[in-house]
Amino acid sequence: MKKFTYSTAILDAYNFLLKNYPEVFVIGQGLWSPWYVGNTMKDLDKNFGKKRIIDTPVSEAAVTGAAVGASLNEMKPIVVHPRMDFMMYAMDPIINQAAKWSYMFGGQSSPSITIRGIINRGGEQGAQHSQALHSLFAHIPGLKVVLPSSVADARDLLIASVLADQPVIYIDDRWLYDQEDQLPEAKEINLESINPCILREGNSITLVGCSYSTFLLKQITKKLIKNKINPEIIDMRIINPFHSELITNSVKKTGRLFVLDGGWGPCGISSEIISSAVENVEPKFFKSKPARLTLPFTPAPTSKVLEKEYYPNEKKILNKIFKIFENNL
Amino acid sequence: MKDSNSKEIDSITSEKEINIDNFSRDELLEMLSKMILIRNAEYKIAKGREFGLVGGPVHLGVGQEAIPVGISQYLNNQDKVFGAHRSHSHILSLGIDLKSFFSEILAKSSGISKGMGGSMHLFGGSVGFCGSVPIVGGTVPLAVGTALASKLKEEKVVSISYLGDGAIEEGIVHESLNFARINNCPVIFVVENNLFSSHLNIKLRQPKKLTYRFAKANDIESKVLDGNNLTSICKTGKEFIRRCRDGEGPFFIEALTYRWFGHVDWREDIDVGINRSADDLKYWKKRDPILRLKKSLLKENYFGENHLINLEKDIQKDIDNAWVDALGESSPEWNESLDYVFKSNYK
Ligand SMILES: Cc1ncc(C[n+]2csc(CCOP(=O)(O)OP(=O)(O)O)c2C)c(N)n1
């Protein structure tokens, strides 16, 4: 089987969708550019034409709104925002319009739009070019929020998002792009059936992450095992709707919970994961308090020196987890 | 000729010398020095980026120096200036201290944004520079807001909003134009139209290559200028700034120009495949705002070649010294960064 990377898997999803579904088109900034979206959209304009791969003016609000409109006219647009930060101009079409549309009209009309926001941080780009805002969207009823962490998910969840009949925020992370794996044939999965999954079974602690955080959790597995910690690792994959059962069951088994998130703590997905565990798991099951590691509650700094302090790394994660076992009963 | 240079653009810009009637020798010398300083400082940054001394992305404005220099000439430190991602020239033209400027580019805590911002987040309260940020269009309503405040406070203060032909595509800009007009805000929108928004030529993004039509639509008085002609920028800048102070704003200036470097960092981007070629670059380098001014000055015998050579040498020495000094400065501490989140945290 040919090796794929996370980014070429995304490209594969586009190829699959554009080939099989004439109602799919892609719109956003930088789609004809060699720079904007890595190789996730390479040559799509050449292969499918500039009519279906539309590079746009710097007009996020209008472009996103127009895509919502197109989806109300039987098309399946994918809007690309090469940085999530730029999506902030498009909050009205996303949050007031797309997310509410079905509800407001009693389910008679639903925008089948996919909005792809790319997390693209680091590289000393600072506060307005570094935000991982998945939790913000997960707060909104009516928006599905999908965060693939694996190569296969990068492709299959994009396909599932586009084929779904509702607004989906699909968030990919540039820090995952070079991850390599084998890629089986493309699958059409019903988005409704997407749940968190257990990446590794274990019995001494439940580790939960999504997107790049899941990748970091996988990275530290060996070190944990060396320290006689046998972790169960859960990849969220979709954070709205929030599925708590798998985590609940896992925590009942392991008695410990650690959440890693690349966003901020307050009112974020890590808060949701921990509160749902506390609500759903009887206190007697807990061998230790749930814990989490998130970004410090500051905007992203610019300088390399501060960036090093800012982002979670192996050492910080391990220290947090070891602390959980230190406080062991 | 090349695609990016239509007849319309040709008729506005030119490679001819610049008309320097009505300007004093000292004034022209001051502005020429500023333009050379800006250009050579940017070349320094370009090298620093290429060799890895500068970390984050840098958006260089080499070729566009005449616009902010011509505008800044008539501003004072009370005026409010906002920029965007390509704003080295905007803040340097206001006379910011060069070493503190370089320190910021190098993310040192002695920098103008305390090392928290780098090239894309510049601040210079002492010279009236209110901030530049990389969200395209983001500062345009803020400039309208400072102007509104000046009007409410009955101060004769002007706000300047620098934006690009790309930024003009953002909805918030149009809301801002209308709002500024209906409230008579003393703000001047200065569009540096360099025909590109990153990789895309304006003709692939807009039905016309000139953006002043948006000012017309909002009933704002506007002028389209050769952005590589210092004295023509000066003339309009001076007039609009004076009239703003007299309560006549807002105004809109569209200055046609071109960036010699690519969108970001030190490369020229003549290979991005979308209407930017080596020939285009050559065409625009003939319209070099600095060279054209120099030629006029020499022709009118304002000073001799030697004078110019010495001037450049002195400026370069200042740049080299400031750069070396900045390199020796220290980086910000992590705790400091926590303090800056809210002003109330700041000791
Ligand atoms: C809201 C937003 N959308 C997109 C971008 C990406 N971007 C950065 S600079 C730029 C080009 C802007 O062009 P223009 O305003 O003409 O300024 P120039 O680069 O030509 O100086 C774009 C699209 C961004 N930074 N912010």
Side-chain angles (χ1 to χ4, degrees), chain A residues 29 36 58 60 86 89 129, chain B residues 85-86 134-136 164-167 170 194 196-198 263:
Chain A
Q29 273 168 61
Y36 271 81
V58 202
E60 291 83 3
F86 308 160
Y89 273 138
H129 274 53
Chain B
H85 54 289
R86 200 180 304 285
I135 290 294
V136 170
D165 51 293
E170 294 285 10
N194 59 20
F196 277 86
S197 169
S198 65
H263 171 58

Side-chain angles (χ1 to χ4, degrees), chain B residues 266-303:
Chain B
W266 71 95
R267 300 172 190 90
E268 283 180 337
D269 290 355
I270 48 177
D271 55 351
V272 292
I274 301 175
N275 303 107
R276 184 176 162 102
S277 67
D279 280 348
D280 275 342
L281 202 53
K282 211 168 0 158
Y283 169 95
W284 279 98
K285 282 187 175 173
K286 283 199 202 136
R287 282 152 173 70
D288 180 352
I290 296 182
L291 197 64
R292 285 167 68 198
L293 179 62
K294 275 189 198 162
K295 278 190 182 154
S296 304
L297 291 166
L298 290 170
K299 193 166 162 199
E300 298 295 320
N301 278 324
Y302 273 46
F303 37 67

Side-chain angles (χ1 to χ4, degrees), chain A residues 80-326:
Chain A
V80 181
H81 293 284
R83 276 195 171 80
M84 285 200 88
D85 315 68
F86 308 160
M87 272 167 85
M88 298 305 102
Y89 273 138
M91 289 307 244
D92 178 74
I94 298 173
I95 292 180
N96 284 330
Q97 313 305 337
K100 310 296 191 301
W101 205 259
S102 170
Y103 184 85
M104 291 189 301
F105 303 123
Q108 301 176 89
S109 173
S110 173
S112 56
I113 184 181
T114 303
I115 300 165
R116 176 181 169 211
I118 304 178
I119 300 173
N120 185 0
R121 61 200 177 288
E124 298 179 64
Q125 303 181 74
Q128 298 181 341
H129 274 53
S130 307
Q131 297 170 89
L133 296 165
H134 47 282
S135 296
L136 191 63
F137 294 103
H139 184 65
I140 308 296
L143 292 180
K144 307 255 167 179
V145 182
V146 173
L147 292 123
S149 84
S150 73
V151 173
D153 270 0
R155 182 194 59 197
D156 294 336
L157 298 192
L158 181 54
I159 295 173
S161 300
V162 174
L163 298 183
D165 276 337
Q166 59 247 312
V168 181
I169 312 289
Y170 171 98
I171 299 169
D172 54 304
D173 187 320
R174 282 191 83 130
W175 281 1
L176 287 169
Y177 279 16
D178 294 334
Q179 220 197 144
E180 263 193 355
D181 209 343
Q182 305 204 320
L183 193 64
E185 282 292 291
K187 280 196 292 263
E188 290 191 9
I189 311 170
N190 182 352
L191 191 67
E192 301 306 315
S193 70
I194 305 288
N195 279 302
C197 67
I198 296 184
L199 293 183
R200 180 187 189 279
E201 297 208 24
N203 56 18
S204 53
I205 185 167
T206 302
L207 308 179
V208 186
C210 60
S211 195
Y212 187 71
S213 298
T214 302
F215 172 80
L216 287 174
L217 291 174
K218 282 195 292 191
Q219 296 285 93
I220 57 160
T221 311
K222 272 195 193 136
K223 293 232 165 86
L224 290 177
I225 293 169
K226 233 192 214 156
N227 285 277
K228 305 205 163 47
I229 296 172
N230 178 18
E232 180 139 305
I233 304 181
I234 294 179
D235 179 23
M236 288 298 295
R237 303 170 83 211
I238 184 161
I239 60 171
N240 189 13
F242 178 75
H243 299 283
S244 62
E245 309 75 34
L246 197 70
I247 299 168
T248 305
N249 292 338
S250 175
V251 173
K252 279 184 188 157
K253 176 170 73 172
T254 64
R256 298 182 186 88
L257 172 63
F258 172 76
V259 186
L260 180 66
D261 188 37
W264 293 291
C267 306
I269 188 63
S270 64
S271 322
E272 189 59 35
I273 294 169
I274 289 176
S275 66
S276 82
V278 171
E279 279 172 346
N280 296 322
V281 179
E282 294 297 319
K284 64 173 185 213
F285 287 108
F286 281 103
K287 298 180 190 146
S288 175
K289 288 186 289 191
R292 59 177 161 168
L293 182 63
T294 60
L295 293 180
F297 204 35
T298 80
T302 305
S303 87
K304 206 181 288 173
V305 188
L306 299 183
E307 275 184 348
K308 255 195 207 130
E309 293 280 341
Y310 188 68
Y311 292 111
N313 58 29
E314 227 182 81
K315 201 173 133 206
K316 284 194 237 177
I317 303 168
L318 286 171
N319 281 345
K320 269 271 180 184
I321 295 176
F322 291 152
K323 263 236 165 74
I324 297 175
F325 285 88
E326 242 171 54

Side-chain angles (χ1 to χ4, degrees), chain B residues 79-339:
Chain B
D79 293 321
K80 311 288 179 203
V81 181
F82 288 86
H85 54 289
R86 200 180 304 285
S87 276
H88 301 155
S89 62
H90 303 150
I91 195 164
L92 284 171
S93 71
L94 293 169
I96 196 84
D97 172 63
L98 191 58
K99 189 200 139 186
S100 320
F101 168 78
F102 280 148
S103 291
E104 191 54 47
I105 303 293
L106 293 160
K108 307 291 189 178
S109 50
S110 61
I112 50 177
S113 305
K114 307 276 175 85
M116 298 306 295
S119 161
M120 299 198 297
H121 315 85
L122 304 170
F123 185 83
S126 62
V127 296
F129 194 76
C130 297
S132 65
V133 304
I135 290 294
V136 170
T139 58
V140 176
L142 308 190
V144 172
T146 51
L148 177 67
S150 300
K151 188 185 121 182
L152 296 175
K153 294 194 283 178
E154 297 179 15
E155 291 170 343
K156 284 181 177 282
V157 168
V158 180
S159 294
I160 303 290
S161 172
Y162 287 109
L163 65 155
D165 51 293
I168 204 93
E169 291 154 11
E170 294 285 10
I172 196 152
V173 172
H174 306 288
E175 297 177 21
S176 302
L177 292 174
N178 182 56
F179 181 87
R181 176 64 183 85
I182 203 71
N183 284 290
N184 243 328
C185 296
V187 56
I188 304 176
F189 303 97
V190 181
V191 175
E192 295 175 294
N193 183 349
N194 59 20
L195 304 172
F196 277 86
S197 169
S198 65
H199 60 298
L200 278 192
N201 188 298
I202 191 163
K203 74 164 199 181
L204 296 168
R205 302 177 281 118
Q206 295 181 32
K208 295 251 159 74
K209 286 187 183 172
L210 296 179
T211 66
Y212 73 101
R213 66 185 185 284
F214 294 115
K216 276 195 158 166
N218 285 293
D219 193 37
I220 294 176
E221 187 175 334
S222 64
K223 260 207 177 121
V224 181
L225 303 173
D226 175 355
N228 292 359
N229 179 336
L230 177 75
T231 55
S232 100
I233 302 284
C234 284
K235 251 174 61 190
T236 300
K238 187 176 180 178
E239 183 203 327
F240 282 175
I241 289 169
R242 177 185 55 77
R243 288 172 62 194
C244 255
R245 294 198 203 287
D246 290 345
E248 281 186 56
F251 296 100
F252 185 103
I253 294 174
E254 172 158 20
L256 269 164
T257 187
Y258 203 76
R259 50 171 159 75
W260 293 9
F261 283 104
H263 171 58
V264 64
D265 298 340
W266 71 95
R267 300 172 190 90
E268 283 180 337
D269 290 355
I270 48 177
D271 55 351
V272 292
I274 301 175
N275 303 107
R276 184 176 162 102
S277 67
D279 280 348
D280 275 342
L281 202 53
K282 211 168 0 158
Y283 169 95
W284 279 98
K285 282 187 175 173
K286 283 199 202 136
R287 282 152 173 70
D288 180 352
I290 296 182
L291 197 64
R292 285 167 68 198
L293 179 62
K294 275 189 198 162
K295 278 190 182 154
S296 304
L297 291 166
L298 290 170
K299 193 166 162 199
E300 298 295 320
N301 278 324
Y302 273 46
F303 37 67
E305 297 249 12
N306 273 345
H307 189 114
L308 271 183
I309 292 170
N310 287 333
L311 177 74
E312 296 222 15
K313 264 194 198 148
D314 287 346
I315 294 172
Q316 192 57 47
K317 210 189 286 165
D318 288 346
I319 290 174
D320 292 341
N321 288 340
W323 182 259
V324 170
D325 288 351
L327 274 173
E329 296 287 314
S330 58
S331 306
E333 301 282 333
W334 173 247
N335 286 346
E336 256 175 81
S337 120
L338 292 174
D339 291 344

